[in-house]
Amino acid sequence: MYVLALDQGTTSSRAIVFDKAGRIISKAQNEFDQIYPKSGWVEHDPMDILYSQMHSITSVINSGDFDVSEIAGIGITNQRETTIIWDKETGAPVYNAIVWQCRRTADLCEQLKEEGLGDYIREHTGLLIDAYFSGTKIKWILDNVEGARERAEKGELLFGTVETWLIWNLTGGKVHVTDYSNASRTMLFDVDKLQWDEYLCEKLGVPMCMLPEPVESSKVYGTVAGGILGLEALEGVPICGAIGDQPSALFGQACFKPGQAKNTYGTGCFLLMNTGNKRVDSKNNLLTGVAWSLNGETTYSIEGSAFNAGSVIKWLRDELHLIDNARRCDELAESVPNANGMYLVPAFTGLGAPYWDMYARGTIVGLTRGVNRAHFARAVLESICFQMTDLLSAMTKDSNIILSELRVDGGASVSNIMMQIQADLIRTVVNRPKTVETTALGAAYLAGLAVGMWKNLDEIERNREVEKVFIPKMEKADRDKLYHGWKRAVERSKDWAKDED
């Protein structure tokens, strides 16, 4: 038996087939275009998301690596807050997907703060008011696309985050659901009652008839419809797992006990800690929400996120052309002992936790004539690790838990030099598993649990194998001096775009 995991991310769509031991049998990946209409705006074409995901699926099922008839179920994990609205009858999107990174609703968020909604939103949704989340993105589309609001109020339009969009299309438009972990990132969902908040929907002008049904992360939602070109071999296969990418990685890392934590180095940087069946209300600007819901039991997490991590390496490659590939960034960074006093704050789309500055922008400080390309590469890797150190510091204050280890995953976690820098900065052991595709693995496990491929969490936990452990080596005084410089650099990046026209 196998499980097919669909990992729909910010820059690419992947399909990965796992066996019962959690090993990768086959995988395929397709990148798609990023759209930047204005400064701070980020969009995707929803059809690009769908077609790139379909292409990845057809690639693995046609690979010949396994017997397709033995796929027991499909699990989906996704970029979370990205917002899509489409026609209920035709499936045609009314506008591009507004991506989680997009800052276009920053001014609307300021209005909501001025109206005094901050405390209510924190109490009921576990979130802070920010353009990051789906609620204000929905409102923007309804207010700015001609006729959209009227059509939504008539029940002609549907909203979904990306897993909702994929499930709706894979089931031939029969199933309109979202799992609790994705719903809890909309700023419209009561994470205690596990239902949409009528008051917030009214305040943001979001008709509740367009919202998907909230469901558990592991259950059969529907089956793959017939007649989908290229997916004929999957007709009737259950779609039985759905979870946002970051809690999926927490699940895939087998962080099943309260106090266990993981950090994912993907497009952004995402630190999550399992807090069990209770919410932990942050006093340090972190977020709380549903990690997953399984067999009627809901597990919560506390989370901090940095908007730009792996995307900074891509920027170094694609925009600055200082490297040809990510490995070259590592090689350059390893060739120098430090960044020669230079700091990069990659606030390209603002700063996430614990700063929550929508108007911060990217900053480089400490430049001297002696800085070269290798120092620049080192500063890029350090900037990712500094952001994660900020998050862990805040999380430690909130939870009063000192981690014995940090489990890591995501594409950028394969960098040995970066993981060593990370261990030095947080002064904690960094533990990297053999399977770094833990985001997809989490979705696979949830789908497999729904169809009996795995019996329980203990069986899943036994699958996890460690690939490498990184031990802190830097002297504490040197670490503290380096980190202090980062905090100074962050201050220079704040509020930069606040007075832009």
Side-chain angles (χ1 to χ4, degrees), residues 449-492:
L449 286 167
V451 294
M453 187 164 165
W454 292 283
K455 295 177 182 177
N456 52 44
L457 299 184
D458 290 339
E459 191 176 352
I460 290 172
E461 192 167 12
R462 287 193 291 271
N463 277 350
R464 189 180 189 275
E465 296 180 279
V466 177
E467 188 266 329
K468 189 173 178 63
V469 171
F470 299 86
I471 309 295
K473 295 179 180 178
M474 186 181 290
E475 293 292 332
K476 184 177 184 300
D478 294 335
R479 177 268 182 198
D480 290 349
K481 181 179 179 181
L482 190 63
Y483 187 50
H484 176 68
W486 162 257
K487 301 295 277 187
R488 291 174 62 211
V490 168
E491 288 302 312
R492 269 93 174 151

mmCIF file of all heavy atoms in Angstrom, residues 449-492:
data_model
loop_
_atom_site.group_PDB
_atom_site.id
_atom_site.type_symbol
_atom_site.label_atom_id
_atom_site.label_comp_id
_atom_site.label_asym_id
_atom_site.label_seq_id
_atom_site.Cartn_x
_atom_site.Cartn_y
_atom_site.Cartn_z
ATOM 1 N N LEU A 449 -3.709 7.233 8.111
ATOM 2 C CA LEU A 449 -4.468 6.918 9.331
ATOM 3 C C LEU A 449 -5.960 6.782 9.032
ATOM 4 O O LEU A 449 -6.657 5.945 9.620
ATOM 5 C CB LEU A 449 -4.243 8.001 10.388
ATOM 6 C CG LEU A 449 -2.881 7.995 11.085
ATOM 7 C CD1 LEU A 449 -2.666 9.299 11.855
ATOM 8 C CD2 LEU A 449 -2.748 6.801 12.032
ATOM 9 N N ALA A 450 -6.451 7.611 8.109
ATOM 10 C CA ALA A 450 -7.884 7.591 7.791
ATOM 11 C C ALA A 450 -8.307 6.301 7.094
ATOM 12 O O ALA A 450 -9.468 5.890 7.193
ATOM 13 C CB ALA A 450 -8.244 8.796 6.915
ATOM 14 N N VAL A 451 -7.361 5.648 6.400
ATOM 15 C CA VAL A 451 -7.711 4.424 5.664
ATOM 16 C C VAL A 451 -7.040 3.183 6.256
ATOM 17 O O VAL A 451 -7.053 2.114 5.637
ATOM 18 C CB VAL A 451 -7.355 4.557 4.162
ATOM 19 C CG1 VAL A 451 -8.229 5.616 3.508
ATOM 20 C CG2 VAL A 451 -5.869 4.891 3.969
ATOM 21 N N GLY A 452 -6.471 3.313 7.458
ATOM 22 C CA GLY A 452 -5.931 2.161 8.162
ATOM 23 C C GLY A 452 -4.553 1.705 7.741
ATOM 24 O O GLY A 452 -4.113 0.620 8.130
ATOM 25 N N MET A 453 -3.831 2.512 6.980
ATOM 26 C CA MET A 453 -2.466 2.128 6.579
ATOM 27 C C MET A 453 -1.531 2.159 7.783
ATOM 28 O O MET A 453 -0.595 1.354 7.884
ATOM 29 C CB MET A 453 -1.971 3.062 5.479
ATOM 30 C CG MET A 453 -0.640 2.663 4.879
ATOM 31 S SD MET A 453 -0.365 3.526 3.323
ATOM 32 C CE MET A 453 1.383 3.253 3.085
ATOM 33 N N TRP A 454 -1.738 3.128 8.660
ATOM 34 C CA TRP A 454 -1.071 3.149 9.962
ATOM 35 C C TRP A 454 -2.144 3.093 11.031
ATOM 36 O O TRP A 454 -3.216 3.717 10.894
ATOM 37 C CB TRP A 454 -0.231 4.418 10.128
ATOM 38 C CG TRP A 454 0.952 4.451 9.210
ATOM 39 C CD1 TRP A 454 2.123 3.775 9.347
ATOM 40 C CD2 TRP A 454 1.073 5.204 7.996
ATOM 41 N NE1 TRP A 454 2.974 4.043 8.297
ATOM 42 C CE2 TRP A 454 2.353 4.932 7.451
ATOM 43 C CE3 TRP A 454 0.231 6.082 7.311
ATOM 44 C CZ2 TRP A 454 2.803 5.495 6.276
ATOM 45 C CZ3 TRP A 454 0.669 6.642 6.127
ATOM 46 C CH2 TRP A 454 1.944 6.360 5.616
ATOM 47 N N LYS A 455 -1.850 2.365 12.109
ATOM 48 C CA LYS A 455 -2.868 2.152 13.142
ATOM 49 C C LYS A 455 -2.925 3.292 14.152
ATOM 50 O O LYS A 455 -3.995 3.654 14.646
ATOM 51 C CB LYS A 455 -2.596 0.835 13.874
ATOM 52 C CG LYS A 455 -2.740 -0.392 12.990
ATOM 53 C CD LYS A 455 -2.391 -1.648 13.765
ATOM 54 C CE LYS A 455 -2.483 -2.887 12.867
ATOM 55 N NZ LYS A 455 -2.076 -4.109 13.601
ATOM 56 N N ASN A 456 -1.750 3.850 14.497
ATOM 57 C CA ASN A 456 -1.712 4.856 15.565
ATOM 58 C C ASN A 456 -0.442 5.693 15.443
ATOM 59 O O ASN A 456 0.417 5.447 14.590
ATOM 60 C CB ASN A 456 -1.791 4.183 16.939
ATOM 61 C CG ASN A 456 -0.747 3.078 17.096
ATOM 62 O OD1 ASN A 456 0.417 3.250 16.732
ATOM 63 N ND2 ASN A 456 -1.168 1.940 17.635
ATOM 64 N N LEU A 457 -0.312 6.672 16.344
ATOM 65 C CA LEU A 457 0.826 7.588 16.307
ATOM 66 C C LEU A 457 2.128 6.897 16.694
ATOM 67 O O LEU A 457 3.206 7.281 16.212
ATOM 68 C CB LEU A 457 0.568 8.789 17.219
ATOM 69 C CG LEU A 457 -0.647 9.650 16.881
ATOM 70 C CD1 LEU A 457 -0.727 10.857 17.819
ATOM 71 C CD2 LEU A 457 -0.622 10.119 15.426
ATOM 72 N N ASP A 458 2.049 5.899 17.569
ATOM 73 C CA ASP A 458 3.271 5.184 17.964
ATOM 74 C C ASP A 458 3.922 4.511 16.760
ATOM 75 O O ASP A 458 5.149 4.507 16.618
ATOM 76 C CB ASP A 458 2.949 4.130 19.034
ATOM 77 C CG ASP A 458 2.582 4.753 20.369
ATOM 78 O OD1 ASP A 458 2.950 5.922 20.588
ATOM 79 O OD2 ASP A 458 1.936 4.079 21.189
ATOM 80 N N GLU A 459 3.107 3.941 15.895
ATOM 81 C CA GLU A 459 3.621 3.279 14.704
ATOM 82 C C GLU A 459 4.313 4.288 13.787
ATOM 83 O O GLU A 459 5.371 4.014 13.212
ATOM 84 C CB GLU A 459 2.465 2.598 13.970
ATOM 85 C CG GLU A 459 2.900 1.669 12.856
ATOM 86 C CD GLU A 459 1.734 0.935 12.218
ATOM 87 O OE1 GLU A 459 0.600 1.031 12.735
ATOM 88 O OE2 GLU A 459 1.965 0.281 11.186
ATOM 89 N N ILE A 460 3.735 5.485 13.684
ATOM 90 C CA ILE A 460 4.329 6.545 12.864
ATOM 91 C C ILE A 460 5.640 7.029 13.469
ATOM 92 O O ILE A 460 6.641 7.223 12.763
ATOM 93 C CB ILE A 460 3.334 7.713 12.712
ATOM 94 C CG1 ILE A 460 2.166 7.285 11.812
ATOM 95 C CG2 ILE A 460 4.020 8.954 12.163
ATOM 96 C CD1 ILE A 460 1.032 8.285 11.755
ATOM 97 N N GLU A 461 5.662 7.201 14.781
ATOM 98 C CA GLU A 461 6.856 7.719 15.451
ATOM 99 C C GLU A 461 8.058 6.794 15.237
ATOM 100 O O GLU A 461 9.201 7.249 15.128
ATOM 101 C CB GLU A 461 6.572 7.905 16.942
ATOM 102 C CG GLU A 461 7.625 8.686 17.676
ATOM 103 C CD GLU A 461 7.180 9.135 19.058
ATOM 104 O OE1 GLU A 461 6.137 8.657 19.543
ATOM 105 O OE2 GLU A 461 7.875 9.979 19.659
ATOM 106 N N ARG A 462 7.810 5.502 15.160
ATOM 107 C CA ARG A 462 8.906 4.545 14.960
ATOM 108 C C ARG A 462 9.537 4.668 13.579
ATOM 109 O O ARG A 462 10.656 4.194 13.348
ATOM 110 C CB ARG A 462 8.401 3.110 15.201
ATOM 111 C CG ARG A 462 8.153 2.790 16.666
ATOM 112 C CD ARG A 462 7.977 1.296 16.876
ATOM 113 N NE ARG A 462 6.742 0.778 16.290
ATOM 114 C CZ ARG A 462 5.573 0.730 16.939
ATOM 115 N NH1 ARG A 462 5.478 1.172 18.183
ATOM 116 N NH2 ARG A 462 4.507 0.235 16.337
ATOM 117 N N ASN A 463 8.841 5.312 12.657
ATOM 118 C CA ASN A 463 9.387 5.497 11.309
ATOM 119 C C ASN A 463 10.494 6.545 11.248
ATOM 120 O O ASN A 463 11.316 6.530 10.333
ATOM 121 C CB ASN A 463 8.281 5.923 10.341
ATOM 122 C CG ASN A 463 7.475 4.755 9.806
ATOM 123 O OD1 ASN A 463 7.825 3.600 10.001
ATOM 124 N ND2 ASN A 463 6.375 5.058 9.130
ATOM 125 N N ARG A 464 10.508 7.503 12.195
ATOM 126 C CA ARG A 464 11.428 8.638 12.083
ATOM 127 C C ARG A 464 12.875 8.206 12.312
ATOM 128 O O ARG A 464 13.204 7.584 13.304
ATOM 129 C CB ARG A 464 11.055 9.735 13.078
ATOM 130 C CG ARG A 464 11.856 11.025 12.856
ATOM 131 C CD ARG A 464 11.472 12.126 13.847
ATOM 132 N NE ARG A 464 12.090 13.390 13.484
ATOM 133 C CZ ARG A 464 13.327 13.752 13.844
ATOM 134 N NH1 ARG A 464 14.063 12.939 14.581
ATOM 135 N NH2 ARG A 464 13.822 14.919 13.470
ATOM 136 N N GLU A 465 13.747 8.580 11.369
ATOM 137 C CA GLU A 465 15.171 8.282 11.466
ATOM 138 C C GLU A 465 15.967 9.585 11.398
ATOM 139 O O GLU A 465 15.663 10.463 10.593
ATOM 140 C CB GLU A 465 15.603 7.365 10.326
ATOM 141 C CG GLU A 465 14.961 5.991 10.353
ATOM 142 C CD GLU A 465 15.439 5.137 9.197
ATOM 143 O OE1 GLU A 465 14.913 5.303 8.080
ATOM 144 O OE2 GLU A 465 16.352 4.315 9.416
ATOM 145 N N VAL A 466 16.998 9.685 12.227
ATOM 146 C CA VAL A 466 17.835 10.885 12.275
ATOM 147 C C VAL A 466 18.954 10.768 11.243
ATOM 148 O O VAL A 466 19.626 9.741 11.147
ATOM 149 C CB VAL A 466 18.437 11.076 13.679
ATOM 150 C CG1 VAL A 466 19.371 12.286 13.696
ATOM 151 C CG2 VAL A 466 17.333 11.235 14.712
ATOM 152 N N GLU A 467 19.152 11.843 10.458
ATOM 153 C CA GLU A 467 20.232 11.863 9.468
ATOM 154 C C GLU A 467 21.489 12.526 10.024
ATOM 155 O O GLU A 467 22.598 12.042 9.845
ATOM 156 C CB GLU A 467 19.749 12.601 8.213
ATOM 157 C CG GLU A 467 20.711 12.537 7.034
ATOM 158 C CD GLU A 467 21.648 13.726 6.978
ATOM 159 O OE1 GLU A 467 21.255 14.823 7.400
ATOM 160 O OE2 GLU A 467 22.788 13.545 6.517
ATOM 161 N N LYS A 468 21.313 13.669 10.740
ATOM 162 C CA LYS A 468 22.478 14.383 11.272
ATOM 163 C C LYS A 468 22.051 15.266 12.436
ATOM 164 O O LYS A 468 20.954 15.817 12.435
ATOM 165 C CB LYS A 468 23.130 15.234 10.172
ATOM 166 C CG LYS A 468 24.480 15.848 10.547
ATOM 167 C CD LYS A 468 25.112 16.529 9.351
ATOM 168 C CE LYS A 468 26.444 17.196 9.693
ATOM 169 N NZ LYS A 468 27.469 16.223 10.123
ATOM 170 N N VAL A 469 22.936 15.385 13.418
ATOM 171 C CA VAL A 469 22.709 16.243 14.577
ATOM 172 C C VAL A 469 23.804 17.308 14.604
ATOM 173 O O VAL A 469 24.991 17.000 14.416
ATOM 174 C CB VAL A 469 22.716 15.423 15.891
ATOM 175 C CG1 VAL A 469 22.705 16.348 17.101
ATOM 176 C CG2 VAL A 469 21.519 14.485 15.939
ATOM 177 N N PHE A 470 23.422 18.556 14.828
ATOM 178 C CA PHE A 470 24.363 19.674 14.882
ATOM 179 C C PHE A 470 24.455 20.186 16.319
ATOM 180 O O PHE A 470 23.446 20.526 16.929
ATOM 181 C CB PHE A 470 23.908 20.794 13.941
ATOM 182 C CG PHE A 470 23.828 20.376 12.505
ATOM 183 C CD1 PHE A 470 22.675 19.765 12.007
ATOM 184 C CD2 PHE A 470 24.901 20.562 11.647
ATOM 185 C CE1 PHE A 470 22.601 19.360 10.685
ATOM 186 C CE2 PHE A 470 24.832 20.160 10.322
ATOM 187 C CZ PHE A 470 23.677 19.559 9.839
ATOM 188 N N ILE A 471 25.692 20.217 16.838
ATOM 189 C CA ILE A 471 25.952 20.621 18.220
ATOM 190 C C ILE A 471 26.489 22.059 18.229
ATOM 191 O O ILE A 471 27.358 22.398 17.412
ATOM 192 C CB ILE A 471 26.992 19.696 18.880
ATOM 193 C CG1 ILE A 471 26.606 18.229 18.690
ATOM 194 C CG2 ILE A 471 27.155 20.038 20.358
ATOM 195 C CD1 ILE A 471 25.338 17.817 19.384
ATOM 196 N N PRO A 472 25.990 22.921 19.127
ATOM 197 C CA PRO A 472 26.518 24.298 19.189
ATOM 198 C C PRO A 472 28.033 24.313 19.442
ATOM 199 O O PRO A 472 28.532 23.579 20.299
ATOM 200 C CB PRO A 472 25.756 24.913 20.373
ATOM 201 C CG PRO A 472 24.529 24.086 20.526
ATOM 202 C CD PRO A 472 24.903 22.705 20.103
ATOM 203 N N LYS A 473 28.753 25.156 18.697
ATOM 204 C CA LYS A 473 30.208 25.239 18.827
ATOM 205 C C LYS A 473 30.693 26.647 19.175
ATOM 206 O O LYS A 473 31.774 26.818 19.744
ATOM 207 C CB LYS A 473 30.877 24.797 17.520
ATOM 208 C CG LYS A 473 30.650 23.336 17.164
ATOM 209 C CD LYS A 473 31.326 22.998 15.837
ATOM 210 C CE LYS A 473 31.104 21.537 15.454
ATOM 211 N NZ LYS A 473 31.721 21.224 14.127
ATOM 212 N N MET A 474 29.933 27.664 18.811
ATOM 213 C CA MET A 474 30.376 29.046 18.999
ATOM 214 C C MET A 474 30.389 29.438 20.474
ATOM 215 O O MET A 474 29.494 29.058 21.241
ATOM 216 C CB MET A 474 29.450 29.995 18.214
ATOM 217 C CG MET A 474 29.883 31.451 18.219
ATOM 218 S SD MET A 474 28.720 32.527 17.304
ATOM 219 C CE MET A 474 29.023 31.988 15.619
ATOM 220 N N GLU A 475 31.379 30.196 20.870
ATOM 221 C CA GLU A 475 31.433 30.714 22.239
ATOM 222 C C GLU A 475 30.244 31.640 22.484
ATOM 223 O O GLU A 475 29.854 32.407 21.596
ATOM 224 C CB GLU A 475 32.737 31.481 22.477
ATOM 225 C CG GLU A 475 33.988 30.617 22.447
ATOM 226 C CD GLU A 475 34.050 29.651 23.620
ATOM 227 O OE1 GLU A 475 33.468 29.964 24.694
ATOM 228 O OE2 GLU A 475 34.660 28.572 23.455
ATOM 229 N N LYS A 476 29.704 31.594 23.693
ATOM 230 C CA LYS A 476 28.507 32.369 24.002
ATOM 231 C C LYS A 476 28.733 33.871 23.797
ATOM 232 O O LYS A 476 27.859 34.571 23.270
ATOM 233 C CB LYS A 476 28.052 32.114 25.432
ATOM 234 C CG LYS A 476 26.749 32.821 25.804
ATOM 235 C CD LYS A 476 26.312 32.489 27.204
ATOM 236 C CE LYS A 476 24.953 33.122 27.521
ATOM 237 N NZ LYS A 476 24.954 34.587 27.407
ATOM 238 N N ALA A 477 29.887 34.383 24.184
ATOM 239 C CA ALA A 477 30.161 35.820 24.037
ATOM 240 C C ALA A 477 30.156 36.226 22.562
ATOM 241 O O ALA A 477 29.629 37.285 22.196
ATOM 242 C CB ALA A 477 31.498 36.172 24.685
ATOM 243 N N ASP A 478 30.736 35.381 21.712
ATOM 244 C CA ASP A 478 30.751 35.670 20.277
ATOM 245 C C ASP A 478 29.331 35.618 19.710
ATOM 246 O O ASP A 478 28.948 36.450 18.877
ATOM 247 C CB ASP A 478 31.638 34.670 19.552
ATOM 248 C CG ASP A 478 33.095 34.798 19.939
ATOM 249 O OD1 ASP A 478 33.498 35.899 20.373
ATOM 250 O OD2 ASP A 478 33.840 33.809 19.811
ATOM 251 N N ARG A 479 28.575 34.624 20.168
ATOM 252 C CA ARG A 479 27.183 34.503 19.715
ATOM 253 C C ARG A 479 26.373 35.721 20.111
ATOM 254 O O ARG A 479 25.614 36.286 19.314
ATOM 255 C CB ARG A 479 26.581 33.226 20.295
ATOM 256 C CG ARG A 479 25.114 33.005 19.971
ATOM 257 C CD ARG A 479 24.211 33.584 21.052
ATOM 258 N NE ARG A 479 22.803 33.329 20.762
ATOM 259 C CZ ARG A 479 21.802 33.977 21.317
ATOM 260 N NH1 ARG A 479 22.038 34.961 22.185
ATOM 261 N NH2 ARG A 479 20.565 33.683 21.004
ATOM 262 N N ASP A 480 26.519 36.147 21.359
ATOM 263 C CA ASP A 480 25.730 37.281 21.856
ATOM 264 C C ASP A 480 26.068 38.565 21.105
ATOM 265 O O ASP A 480 25.171 39.363 20.792
ATOM 266 C CB ASP A 480 25.971 37.473 23.357
ATOM 267 C CG ASP A 480 25.363 36.361 24.201
ATOM 268 O OD1 ASP A 480 24.583 35.561 23.648
ATOM 269 O OD2 ASP A 480 25.686 36.275 25.399
ATOM 270 N N LYS A 481 27.332 38.756 20.783
ATOM 271 C CA LYS A 481 27.740 39.947 20.034
ATOM 272 C C LYS A 481 27.141 39.927 18.631
ATOM 273 O O LYS A 481 26.636 40.936 18.131
ATOM 274 C CB LYS A 481 29.258 40.013 19.962
ATOM 275 C CG LYS A 481 29.786 41.237 19.210
ATOM 276 C CD LYS A 481 31.309 41.257 19.202
ATOM 277 C CE LYS A 481 31.821 42.467 18.433
ATOM 278 N NZ LYS A 481 33.312 42.493 18.396
ATOM 279 N N LEU A 482 27.182 38.774 17.995
ATOM 280 C CA LEU A 482 26.635 38.628 16.651
ATOM 281 C C LEU A 482 25.131 38.890 16.642
ATOM 282 O O LEU A 482 24.608 39.608 15.784
ATOM 283 C CB LEU A 482 26.926 37.214 16.144
ATOM 284 C CG LEU A 482 26.641 36.908 14.671
ATOM 285 C CD1 LEU A 482 27.521 37.756 13.765
ATOM 286 C CD2 LEU A 482 26.858 35.419 14.402
ATOM 287 N N TYR A 483 24.438 38.333 17.606
ATOM 288 C CA TYR A 483 22.981 38.477 17.670
ATOM 289 C C TYR A 483 22.573 39.907 18.015
ATOM 290 O O TYR A 483 21.573 40.425 17.499
ATOM 291 C CB TYR A 483 22.413 37.498 18.701
ATOM 292 C CG TYR A 483 20.907 37.428 18.737
ATOM 293 C CD1 TYR A 483 20.158 37.247 17.572
ATOM 294 C CD2 TYR A 483 20.226 37.519 19.950
ATOM 295 C CE1 TYR A 483 18.779 37.168 17.608
ATOM 296 C CE2 TYR A 483 18.841 37.433 19.997
ATOM 297 C CZ TYR A 483 18.122 37.261 18.824
ATOM 298 O OH TYR A 483 16.754 37.186 18.862
ATOM 299 N N HIS A 484 23.347 40.569 18.843
ATOM 300 C CA HIS A 484 23.071 41.970 19.180
ATOM 301 C C HIS A 484 23.137 42.840 17.917
ATOM 302 O O HIS A 484 22.315 43.744 17.722
ATOM 303 C CB HIS A 484 24.078 42.473 20.220
ATOM 304 C CG HIS A 484 23.925 43.922 20.563
ATOM 305 N ND1 HIS A 484 22.829 44.425 21.240
ATOM 306 C CD2 HIS A 484 24.730 44.998 20.295
ATOM 307 C CE1 HIS A 484 22.957 45.727 21.384
ATOM 308 N NE2 HIS A 484 24.102 46.108 20.822
ATOM 309 N N GLY A 485 24.101 42.549 17.043
ATOM 310 C CA GLY A 485 24.195 43.289 15.788
ATOM 311 C C GLY A 485 22.957 43.096 14.933
ATOM 312 O O GLY A 485 22.472 44.030 14.278
ATOM 313 N N TRP A 486 22.426 41.884 14.918
ATOM 314 C CA TRP A 486 21.193 41.602 14.176
ATOM 315 C C TRP A 486 20.036 42.449 14.701
ATOM 316 O O TRP A 486 19.278 43.038 13.915
ATOM 317 C CB TRP A 486 20.856 40.122 14.270
ATOM 318 C CG TRP A 486 19.430 39.790 13.938
ATOM 319 C CD1 TRP A 486 18.422 39.499 14.816
ATOM 320 C CD2 TRP A 486 18.840 39.742 12.627
ATOM 321 N NE1 TRP A 486 17.251 39.260 14.152
ATOM 322 C CE2 TRP A 486 17.474 39.402 12.803
ATOM 323 C CE3 TRP A 486 19.327 39.948 11.347
ATOM 324 C CZ2 TRP A 486 16.596 39.268 11.730
ATOM 325 C CZ3 TRP A 486 18.463 39.810 10.268
ATOM 326 C CH2 TRP A 486 17.113 39.476 10.465
ATOM 327 N N LYS A 487 19.891 42.527 16.004
ATOM 328 C CA LYS A 487 18.780 43.289 16.585
ATOM 329 C C LYS A 487 18.890 44.767 16.214
ATOM 330 O O LYS A 487 17.874 45.434 15.947
ATOM 331 C CB LYS A 487 18.760 43.123 18.117
ATOM 332 C CG LYS A 487 18.618 41.694 18.590
ATOM 333 C CD LYS A 487 17.301 41.071 18.215
ATOM 334 C CE LYS A 487 16.198 41.429 19.169
ATOM 335 N NZ LYS A 487 14.954 40.670 18.890
ATOM 336 N N ARG A 488 20.089 45.282 16.145
ATOM 337 C CA ARG A 488 20.293 46.666 15.718
ATOM 338 C C ARG A 488 19.890 46.836 14.254
ATOM 339 O O ARG A 488 19.257 47.834 13.880
ATOM 340 C CB ARG A 488 21.758 47.071 15.895
ATOM 341 C CG ARG A 488 22.215 47.190 17.355
ATOM 342 C CD ARG A 488 23.710 47.457 17.413
ATOM 343 N NE ARG A 488 24.059 48.724 16.763
ATOM 344 C CZ ARG A 488 25.200 48.962 16.153
ATOM 345 N NH1 ARG A 488 26.123 48.014 16.067
ATOM 346 N NH2 ARG A 488 25.444 50.141 15.613
ATOM 347 N N ALA A 489 20.247 45.868 13.434
ATOM 348 C CA ALA A 489 19.915 45.948 12.011
ATOM 349 C C ALA A 489 18.407 45.914 11.794
ATOM 350 O O ALA A 489 17.869 46.632 10.943
ATOM 351 C CB ALA A 489 20.589 44.799 11.259
ATOM 352 N N VAL A 490 17.701 45.078 12.565
ATOM 353 C CA VAL A 490 16.243 44.991 12.451
ATOM 354 C C VAL A 490 15.598 46.343 12.729
ATOM 355 O O VAL A 490 14.653 46.759 12.038
ATOM 356 C CB VAL A 490 15.682 43.914 13.406
ATOM 357 C CG1 VAL A 490 14.158 44.014 13.515
ATOM 358 C CG2 VAL A 490 16.072 42.522 12.933
ATOM 359 N N GLU A 491 16.102 47.052 13.716
ATOM 360 C CA GLU A 491 15.547 48.367 14.053
ATOM 361 C C GLU A 491 15.631 49.324 12.867
ATOM 362 O O GLU A 491 14.755 50.159 12.669
ATOM 363 C CB GLU A 491 16.283 48.960 15.262
ATOM 364 C CG GLU A 491 15.960 48.269 16.577
ATOM 365 C CD GLU A 491 14.471 48.298 16.889
ATOM 366 O OE1 GLU A 491 13.849 49.378 16.787
ATOM 367 O OE2 GLU A 491 13.920 47.223 17.218
ATOM 368 N N ARG A 492 16.687 49.199 12.061
ATOM 369 C CA ARG A 492 16.849 50.087 10.901
ATOM 370 C C ARG A 492 15.847 49.770 9.786
ATOM 371 O O ARG A 492 15.588 50.600 8.926
ATOM 372 C CB ARG A 492 18.265 49.979 10.329
ATOM 373 C CG ARG A 492 19.226 51.005 10.942
ATOM 374 C CD ARG A 492 19.945 50.437 12.108
ATOM 375 N NE ARG A 492 20.961 51.348 12.616
ATOM 376 C CZ ARG A 492 21.334 51.362 13.881
ATOM 377 N NH1 ARG A 492 20.737 50.558 14.755
ATOM 378 N NH2 ARG A 492 22.272 52.190 14.303
#
